[in-house]
Amino acid sequence: MFKPFRTAAVLGAGVMGTQIAAHLANAGLTVHLLDLPAQAGDKNALVEASFKKALKLSPPIFFTAKVAHRVILGNFDDHFDRLATVDWVIEAVVEKLDVKQQLMERLEAVVREDTIVSTNTSGLPIHAIVQGRSESFRQRFLGTHFFNPPRYLRLLELIPTADTDPQVLERLRWFGQLHLGKGVVVAKDTPNFISNRIGTYAILLGLKAWTEMGYTIEEIDTLTGTLVGRPKSATFRTADLVGLDTLLYVIKNLYPAIPHDESRELFRVPPVLEKLVTTGTLGAKSGQGFYKKQSGELLSLNLETLAYEPAKPMALGAIEALSKLPLKERLCALYQDTGRAGTLFRQMTLDLLSYSAHRLPEIADSPVAIDRAMRWGFGWELGPFELWDALGFETVLADMKAADMSVPSRVETMHHNGATSFYWHEHHVYEPGQHYVPMEMPTDEIDLLALKANPTHTLWQNSEAALLDLGDGVVLYEFRSKGNTLSLKVVEGLAEVLDLLETQPFKGLVIGNDSAHFSGGANLAEIGMMAQSGNFDAIADLIVQFQAILQRIRYAPKPIVAAIQGRALGGGCELVMACPHVVAAAETYIGLVELGVGLIPGAGGIMRTVARVSERTASLSSSQIQPFLQSAFETIATAKVSSSAYEAQEMGYLPCDTRILMNGDRRLFAAKAEVLHLDRLGYTPPPEQTAIMVLGRPARAVLEHMAYVFEQGGFASAYDRYLATELAYVMTGGDLTAPALVHEDYLLQLEREHFLPLLSQPKTQERIAHMLKTKKPLRN
Ligand code: NAD
């Protein structure tokens, strides 16, 4: 219905401008990035320096190095006329109203009549920025508030003014979701919009607990971090990351802007924050904030002395055990806790929930917008109203009254009308005066949770996997093992499901799930245990079986599509490589990481890598294949993981025809559509690989030399080098004196022969044990 933007301009190449430009380029746009001209010398010097700095950011802002070429640098003096050519202009200059207003005036004289203009301001009133501009310009103007880092943080707040054309808002909502992969929330033009208003309040609650309630920084971060479904950075580390000066600035702006806010006093600048900022303690960017890392130890501020001290033992009672419970049970248990932990958690929760409810309809009309904004912008697992439901609507309400807290009339009315939660059933939310109404849900996503609520959709299951009916003859194989590992049960299940695919009238199969990560690879705990108890025959059988299943997937008579996202590692990567068709979220981090745990890929990963290497070359001559082989060898030998699906294509992990989606939540929907499409065309499985070119001993010598250089350069241990030589042996086809064409089964057998003995090596077992214990690789 809408035209996608093809070209854009970002004004201001600071922290946000460069990263927004990068993300638009990731989405395929050509982007002009302009900044102030340098005072002396080359006028592009400022923008170039900022861009250079941004290229070094980690995690990377571009999907691949090549994408950076879509950004064209310029300055406001010489290149302002370029803005006449673009579809969308995003202003991301310094947070000063007069500067932004003047820029808008200049812009109006240059841009086309249909160009959309938006601002990334996080605190200025959107309507004020276009004061004095024509009606036509104001109709094409709105706030597009990206969160830092824009590539990785899901939330995009869209803030229309009273003048914004609804079609402009809809176009941006559509583009933001589909092309930029954002979670879009439409916010009102109120101070700090939704996410930062509630988020700042939550941080100030933490600060208050520290300054007035006698809790330590570590205690507060424990009670506002992963334990309660929020990011690890919790309260104080988040403040350090945002910057204490930025936080101070936001609070100072908010206080005068919210005269009617019933909790306004909390936004009075805490003296300690002001003091820290005036002494240059700005958080991560100045090397110290509430925390400071010193000689590898994390110290935190003492409130009285403002000196950094090692963490004191926490006095929160026995809350360790809670962390094992599922989130909702954990939250309820903590809420009911009668000790110091429960007291603070209850107090902060009641304050937060009351504050959020009071913001309806001031900052949003529906609780859904606030919940989504907090999940997508601050990484909370549950938004305030979801949290309220989890703790029990009536329990929380009664506790608020018992604590003499002000309860918004909207909530009182809800209660009076007999509502017992904000959300009801699948995707219904309480709306004042209307009771429960259906929520607006995307039509191009498959909601597995809702699908599974109906038991007839589960066609088969064991304890760690299931086959679900996606409708229209398409079925989904879903892993349910911990970390979506390829456990014995998952592998057994795959075999059963392939039988069903062949015998039942299904059109095709999707392999995927709705977790953050596709698969963590083989179940190391199972394999490690079998190896330690010397049960190598069972492992050998398992490898044979797994290889055979992956071959069945590849050559299945009906289409099989992998729908992947997040991490797909080791065996998970090999499974994806076996699938003839792949739909991938742009944010896919895939790789053969087996060397990190003292192994080499053993389920077709090497065979398929070698096959893809020769597919990429113009001819099968050794000289053409060799450089590609070296690069593939280096990738596997160093257990490199892609930083995006596009990079995974460059690395050879994903096929060139992978359908890559900016909005990863659409992957199951797209994979189902892919199955139906392939079925309709008349599906043909790929041909068997009867002639894969392997280069034999001469190439192996080169790869072994590379392994030697890694070791000599200090990049690899002696054992890494040993593993790399094993890898080199298999990648070059074993003991062949010259290049030869081999059948894929030949390489699969080589993989097995060289994989198994590694499991009995003490250093491999140490690596596996270390990975299981610390989740980090050991370089022994
Ligand atoms: P920044 O200070 O990193 O960059 C500001 C840019 O504005 C610089 O490139 C600077 O050269 C340019 N500039 C300075 N004075 C100017 C002038 N007189 N005319 C034109 N350009 C000028 O700031 P930032 O953090 O990138 O923030 C940019 C915008 O994004 C602000 O409106 C801010 O509120 C908003 N924002 C920031 C964040 C964040 O986390 N930093 C998050 C969301 C929104």
Side-chain angles (χ1 to χ4, degrees):
M1 212 175 34
F2 295 110
K3 239 168 69 180
F5 300 110
R6 301 286 303 141
T7 52
V10 178
L11 309 183
V15 172
M16 290 303 284
T18 35
Q19 294 192 77
I20 293 171
H23 195 59
L24 297 179
N26 284 335
L29 279 76
T30 302
V31 189
H32 294 279
L33 177 63
L34 308 189
D35 206 336
L36 291 171
Q39 300 289 345
D42 179 2
K43 283 194 187 171
N44 270 1
L46 257 181
V47 69
E48 277 169 11
S50 296
F51 193 67
K52 218 164 140 188
K53 202 165 127 199
L55 283 175
K56 294 197 185 114
L57 284 175
S58 172
I61 59 173
F62 287 105
F63 285 161
T64 67
K66 282 185 200 150
V67 174
H69 298 301
R70 293 182 198 146
V71 180
I72 302 159
L73 306 180
N75 66 76
F76 293 151
D77 270 8
D78 299 335
H79 307 116
F80 215 75
D81 57 342
R82 289 182 187 165
L83 304 183
T85 65
V86 304
D87 303 329
W88 180 14
V89 180
I90 304 179
E91 170 279 304
V93 301
V94 62
E95 187 77 336
K96 286 188 181 155
L97 185 58
D98 58 335
V99 173
K100 291 190 194 265
Q101 285 174 331
Q102 284 155 20
L103 203 56
M104 290 303 151
E105 190 176 354
R106 259 187 96 185
L107 256 179
E108 185 170 16
V110 176
V111 294
R112 288 192 323 243
E113 275 295 297
D114 62 345
T115 297
I116 288 176
V117 180
S118 69
T119 172
N120 188 53
T121 179
S122 42
L124 301 170
I126 305 292
H127 64 274
I129 293 173
V130 279
Q131 241 162 28
R133 302 283 57 78
S134 69
E135 190 184 349
S136 150
F137 190 86
R138 283 185 278 118
Q139 285 170 345
R140 292 176 279 124
F141 180 79
L142 75 168
T144 48
H145 187 213
F146 288 85
F147 284 67
N148 191 11
R151 171 177 164 189
Y152 297 97
L153 262 184
R154 189 83 205 279
L155 182 61
L156 170 62
E157 286 179 333
L158 294 182
I159 311 111
T161 69
D163 296 323
T164 308
D165 179 344
Q167 283 297 306
V168 167
L169 176 67
E170 281 316 306
R171 182 175 176 199
L172 273 173
R173 189 208 293 258
W174 167 80
F175 191 80
Q177 283 169 349
L178 189 70
H179 292 264
L180 300 181
K182 294 287 134 204
V184 173
V185 169
V186 178
K188 298 187 182 184
D189 194 1
T190 53
N192 285 82
F193 320 123
I194 300 177
S195 194
N196 283 345
R197 177 81 170 271
I198 304 283
T200 306
Y201 179 82
I203 288 180
L204 289 171
L205 284 180
L207 262 169
K208 184 175 158 195
W210 183 51
T211 55
E212 296 177 21
M213 297 166 73
Y215 286 84
T216 65
I217 285 178
E218 288 79 9
E219 286 174 337
I220 297 159
D221 271 358
T222 301
L223 294 173
T224 55
T226 49
L227 185 71
V228 300
R230 296 208 202 149
K232 203 162 58 189
S233 53
T235 298
F236 291 97
R237 218 159 308 162
T238 299
D240 279 353
L241 288 172
V242 168
L244 304 198
D245 51 341
T246 307
L247 182 64
L248 181 69
Y249 176 82
V250 169
I251 302 170
K252 277 190 170 164
N253 275 343
L254 260 173
Y255 187 82
I258 51 172
H260 304 299
D261 188 316
E262 75 296 330
S263 302
R264 185 186 188 208
E265 284 316 299
L266 190 75
F267 290 89
R268 218 177 252 288
V269 173
V272 62
L273 185 62
E274 184 106 55
K275 201 162 167 189
L276 288 170
V277 173
T278 33
T279 55
T281 303
L282 306 182
K285 60 184 154 191
S286 71
Q288 57 184 45
F290 291 107
Y291 288 102
K292 178 181 187 170
K293 217 170 195 173
Q294 199 169 288
S295 320
E297 194 182 3
L298 195 63
L299 310 176
S300 63
L301 272 184
N302 174 311
L303 178 62
E304 265 80 52
T305 60
L306 291 191
Y308 290 93
E309 293 176 349
K312 291 199 185 72
M314 289 194 267
L316 294 178
I319 54 165
E320 280 277 290
L322 294 186
S323 59
K324 302 253 172 340
L325 296 174
L327 179 63
K328 289 188 184 173
E329 285 175 39
R330 206 185 317 153
L331 291 165
C332 289
L334 195 56
Y335 188 80
Q336 301 300 342
D337 177 77
T338 51
R340 273 182 91 236
T343 305
L344 181 61
F345 178 64
R346 223 165 19 252
Q347 182 62 54
M348 290 208 294
T349 301
L350 290 176
D351 283 339
L352 174 75
L353 302 188
S354 162
Y355 189 72
S356 303
H358 273 290
R359 301 284 70 75
L360 296 170
E362 180 200 340
I363 64 170
D365 289 323
S366 166
V368 182
I370 294 186
D371 282 342
R372 286 181 175 165
M374 296 320 293
R375 276 197 271 115
W376 293 336
F378 273 70
W380 294 4
E381 284 185 55
L382 296 178
F385 300 99
E386 291 159 335
L387 171 62
W388 192 325
D389 278 356
L391 297 173
F393 176 74
E394 286 170 330
T395 308
V396 170
L397 191 58
D399 289 345
M400 279 181 182
K401 287 182 179 166
D404 231 4
M405 293 172 67
S406 98
V407 176
S409 58
R410 176 177 170 131
V411 177
E412 288 282 22
T413 314
M414 260 181 82
H415 188 227
H416 181 75
N417 290 342
T420 52
S421 57
F422 288 95
Y423 293 94
W424 176 72
H425 230 56
E426 278 159 39
H427 310 316
H428 284 72
V429 63
Y430 187 88
E431 287 289 342
Q434 300 177 60
H435 226 65
Y436 291 98
V437 296
M439 284 157 57
E440 205 180 308
M441 299 301 291
T443 51
D444 58 356
E445 290 176 20
I446 293 178
D447 181 348
L448 282 194
L449 219 59
L451 191 94
K452 284 185 272 191
N454 179 345
T456 64
H457 290 145
T458 302
L459 304 175
W460 170 96
Q461 66 181 323
N462 68 18
S463 55
E464 297 194 348
L467 186 71
L468 303 172
D469 184 0
L470 296 183
D472 304 314
V474 182
V475 286
L476 168 76
Y477 186 65
E478 182 199 38
F479 310 159
R480 293 178 178 172
S481 50
K482 194 165 177 233
N484 289 328
T485 50
L486 295 157
S487 63
L488 298 177
K489 288 266 176 216
V490 169
V491 175
E492 272 167 32
L494 257 177
E496 287 192 47
V497 161
L498 289 172
D499 289 344
L500 287 174
L501 185 69
E502 282 174 23
T503 54
Q504 301 293 312
F506 302 140
K507 290 188 177 142
L509 172 73
V510 175
I511 300 178
N513 54 62
D514 60 356
S515 315
H517 301 288
F518 176 73
S519 172
N523 184 327
L524 284 179
E526 281 177 357
I527 293 184
M529 212 139 59
M530 286 156 90
Q532 267 182 352
S533 57
N535 203 354
F536 292 105
D537 287 347
I539 303 179
D541 287 348
L542 185 70
I543 304 291
V544 171
Q545 192 194 351
F546 192 42
Q547 282 190 343
I549 288 173
L550 294 193
Q551 290 294 79
R552 278 184 75 190
I553 288 180
R554 177 120 201 121
Y555 301 122
K558 295 176 187 174
I560 298 185
V561 178
I564 65 171
Q565 77 289 351
R567 288 194 279 274
L569 305 177
C573 175
E574 293 181 294
L575 170 66
V576 175
M577 291 177 84
C579 283
H581 302 276
V582 184
V583 169
E587 297 298 345
T588 290
Y589 318 121
I590 183 168
L592 294 171
V593 295
E594 284 83 350
L595 271 84
V597 288
L599 296 168
I600 58 170
I606 300 180
M607 177 269 281
R608 274 179 245 283
T609 301
V610 176
R612 275 186 192 164
V613 160
S614 39
E615 277 165 16
R616 290 169 147 212
T617 53
S619 80
L620 289 184
S621 78
S622 300
S623 59
Q624 291 212 355
I625 292 176
Q626 181 84 28
F628 287 93
L629 187 73
Q630 282 176 225
S631 145
F633 171 74
E634 185 175 334
T635 299
I636 304 177
T638 54
K640 202 170 158 205
V641 174
S642 76
S643 63
S644 70
Y646 288 99
E647 197 186 44
Q649 283 182 309
E650 289 186 358
M651 290 162 79
Y653 286 138
L654 292 182
C656 314
D657 63 353
T658 303
R659 198 166 294 280
I660 299 178
L661 306 173
M662 286 298 278
N663 183 345
D665 286 354
R666 300 177 62 246
R667 67 188 177 277
L668 295 176
F669 171 86
K672 177 184 166 183
E674 199 75 27
V675 166
L676 290 173
H677 177 66
L678 290 164
D679 172 68
R680 227 173 280 134
L681 293 179
Y683 183 64
T684 322
E688 189 181 329
Q689 311 228 43
T690 51
I692 300 172
M693 178 57 88
V694 287
L695 301 188
R697 263 191 231 159
R700 190 169 94 223
V702 177
L703 302 188
E704 284 177 352
H705 180 71
M706 284 172 70
Y708 168 76
V709 172
F710 294 155
E711 188 196 3
Q712 293 301 307
F715 302 110
S717 66
Y719 194 57
D720 286 327
R721 181 180 160 199
Y722 166 72
L723 293 166
T725 53
E726 289 293 293
L727 174 68
Y729 188 87
V730 181
M731 283 186 94
T732 50
D735 200 17
L736 301 173
T737 48
L741 290 169
V742 296
H743 190 275
E744 56 188 1
D745 289 344
Y746 170 85
L747 283 173
L748 287 177
Q749 186 179 338
L750 266 185
E751 279 187 15
R752 289 196 303 271
E753 286 169 3
H754 287 261
F755 176 89
L756 266 179
L758 291 175
L759 275 168
S760 50
Q761 296 270 358
K763 281 193 191 281
T764 289
Q765 294 192 358
E766 270 175 41
R767 284 188 179 202
I768 292 177
H770 189 269
M771 176 60 80
L772 287 170
K773 201 162 150 206
T774 65
K775 297 201 165 63
K776 292 198 175 86
L778 172 72
R779 283 274 132 90
N780 55 357

